[in-house]
Amino acid sequence: MTGTIIVTGANGSLAIPAVKYLLEKYPDYTAVLTVRNTEDSDQNTKRLRETIAGFPKAETSIRQLDLANLNAVHEFASTIATEITEKKLPPLASIICNAYYWNLARDPEFTADGVETTIQVNHVSHVALVLRLLGSFGPEGGRIMLFTSDGHFPGKNGLEKYPPGIPDDLDSLLKASPDADKLGRGFNRYANSKLAILMWGFALNRYLEKNEELRKITAIIIDPGNLTDSRALRTNTPKFLQYVQRFALQPLRPVLRYADPTLRTTADAAVDVIDLATNTAFPGERGYLKQLKRDPSSPDSLNEDKQQKLWTKSAEWAKITKENTALADSL
């Protein structure tokens, strides 16, 4: 199966080796790579462009997309859908919802939509992108790649100070207040977004399975592991965490892996992500994976009543209606 693969946050630490592996191993796919800043003044975008320049025969494009602007997400989805309809792009084979945000060092930040940035970038905008584009997959179906982390599971991540949880007042996920404990509260917002992604992904799979036209589309929600060389540990983080990465996680990773096998490189995780996105790994399967293994997710994540409430509210947040998604029967 070939087609178009969309990668959000395509100049990220995991994404660049993923794009390289995609173009090396699966050259028949068309890659649509989204970034906030398409100019080479962004050193990460420059690296992405240098990476794809090594594959002159590949069908690739770098597109501007700011997930902190919901209108921009809808406009992007409309553009992609039109290009597929007009056969400027082949039908979708995968959407890799890789882009992320966290803020462990400052007061909460908010998007132009007035939403706390972590939940909008990580979850709400990807909901909009996925639900707007389900009708643009080909008849062979395809795969949605969603990203969670061990932070979704209480007690599993060393940065956790406040256990993750989806509140009864779901709208409170979109809000945040300044707090002296910037690291603890910031990580809690991040962990809650990863729990929301996982729970929404479970609901998405149920609706896809029930839909005769869409049941060949499967969603994998992956915890790719704790990536010791990721820029995430140096972005919006306190200095001590940057020092831990530089002087412990990076040089000692081969030893530390004996105690914590989740520690790995972005290049290792990239291979998993692309093999899953192309339906090569776990073909036709759905659900949660910890790296490439079936593993129980947190008990809270399996609450189907809360999954359904989050599904409904996420569609509302993402401005999804019966008129702009192929899963109209789910709303």
Side-chain angles (χ1 to χ4, degrees), residues 57 75 142 156 301:
K57 294 182 179 180
E75 290 172 8
K156 294 286 188 180
S301 72

Side-chain angles (χ1 to χ4, degrees), residues 66-126:
D66 183 1
L67 295 173
N69 183 330
L70 194 56
N71 286 338
V73 177
H74 281 273
E75 290 172 8
F76 174 81
S78 295
T79 297
I80 295 296
T82 298
E83 290 184 25
I84 290 171
T85 298
E86 295 177 351
K87 302 188 184 309
K88 295 176 181 177
L89 287 173
L92 286 177
S94 182
I95 303 174
I96 302 177
C97 299
N98 168 74
Y100 94 101
Y101 173 91
W102 71 0
N103 173 11
L104 312 186
R106 301 185 303 278
D107 285 337
E109 296 175 336
F110 296 85
T111 69
D113 301 298
V115 174
E116 194 278 316
T117 304
T118 308
I119 192 71
Q120 176 158 336
V121 170
N122 295 358
H123 177 57
V124 176
S125 287
H126 281 129

Side-chain angles (χ1 to χ4, degrees), residues 43-64:
Q43 291 301 306
N44 301 312
T45 299
K46 184 178 180 181
R47 280 187 59 215
L48 174 63
R49 188 166 281 113
E50 289 169 349
T51 298
I52 64 178
F55 302 90
K57 294 182 179 180
E59 294 291 336
T60 64
S61 61
I62 297 177
R63 313 281 186 107
Q64 199 278 332

Side-chain angles (χ1 to χ4, degrees), residues 4-288:
T4 297
I5 294 180
I6 296 174
V7 183
T8 67
N11 59 0
S13 298
L14 185 153
I16 290 178
V19 169
K20 184 174 186 290
Y21 180 69
L22 171 66
L23 300 182
E24 285 175 343
K25 184 78 178 288
Y26 305 101
D28 292 335
Y29 285 91
T30 297
V32 173
L33 311 172
T34 80
V35 297
R36 278 179 299 169
N37 182 355
T38 59
E39 301 300 321
D40 282 354
S41 56
D42 184 314
Q43 291 301 306
N44 301 312
T45 299
K46 184 178 180 181
R47 280 187 59 215
L48 174 63
R49 188 166 281 113
E50 289 169 349
T51 298
I52 64 178
F55 302 90
K57 294 182 179 180
E59 294 291 336
T60 64
S61 61
I62 297 177
R63 313 281 186 107
Q64 199 278 332
L65 177 60
D66 183 1
L67 295 173
N69 183 330
L70 194 56
N71 286 338
V73 177
H74 281 273
E75 290 172 8
F76 174 81
S78 295
T79 297
I80 295 296
T82 298
E83 290 184 25
I84 290 171
T85 298
E86 295 177 351
K87 302 188 184 309
K88 295 176 181 177
L89 287 173
L92 286 177
S94 182
I95 303 174
I96 302 177
C97 299
N98 168 74
Y100 94 101
Y101 173 91
W102 71 0
N103 173 11
L104 312 186
R106 301 185 303 278
D107 285 337
E109 296 175 336
F110 296 85
T111 69
D113 301 298
V115 174
E116 194 278 316
T117 304
T118 308
I119 192 71
Q120 176 158 336
V121 170
N122 295 358
H123 177 57
V124 176
S125 287
H126 281 129
V127 168
L129 184 66
V130 168
L131 293 184
R132 284 292 309 274
L133 288 174
L134 287 175
S136 295
F137 280 78
E140 295 178 328
R143 179 155 276 164
I144 308 295
M145 291 296 301
L146 303 170
F147 289 76
T148 186
S149 82
D150 63 1
H152 91 272
F153 202 128
K156 294 286 188 180
N157 191 288
L159 293 177
E160 177 190 305
K161 189 171 181 181
Y162 310 99
I166 301 300
D168 292 334
D169 177 10
L170 293 175
D171 286 324
S172 68
L173 288 171
L174 307 188
K175 306 168 187 175
S177 301
D179 192 290
D181 188 1
K182 293 176 175 50
L183 173 60
R185 293 301 180 189
F187 186 79
N188 182 249
R189 291 190 294 272
Y190 171 79
N192 285 346
S193 77
K194 292 301 181 177
L195 177 57
I197 290 166
L198 178 57
M199 295 176 72
W200 183 83
F202 285 144
L204 172 63
N205 271 325
R206 283 200 298 276
Y207 282 115
L208 290 173
E209 281 188 285
K210 292 176 184 176
N211 190 294
E212 188 68 32
E213 295 180 357
L214 302 176
R215 62 177 48 173
K216 291 183 180 179
I217 303 173
T218 61
I220 291 287
I221 312 100
I222 188 171
D223 170 3
N226 290 309
L227 309 179
T228 59
D229 58 342
S230 172
R231 290 198 317 272
L233 295 172
R234 305 188 299 275
T235 305
N236 299 335
T237 57
K239 287 291 184 184
F240 90 86
L241 199 55
Q242 299 173 33
Y243 293 146
V244 167
Q245 179 186 37
R246 182 177 178 184
F247 297 112
L249 293 178
Q250 289 260 52
L252 300 178
R253 178 180 50 80
V255 176
L256 294 172
R257 270 183 62 84
Y258 287 105
D260 184 357
T262 69
L263 299 176
R264 63 204 306 237
T265 67
T266 52
D268 290 336
V271 171
D272 293 351
V273 168
I274 296 302
D275 285 345
L276 286 164
T278 57
N279 227 7
T280 305
F282 291 83
E285 296 190 40
R286 310 170 188 271
Y288 169 70

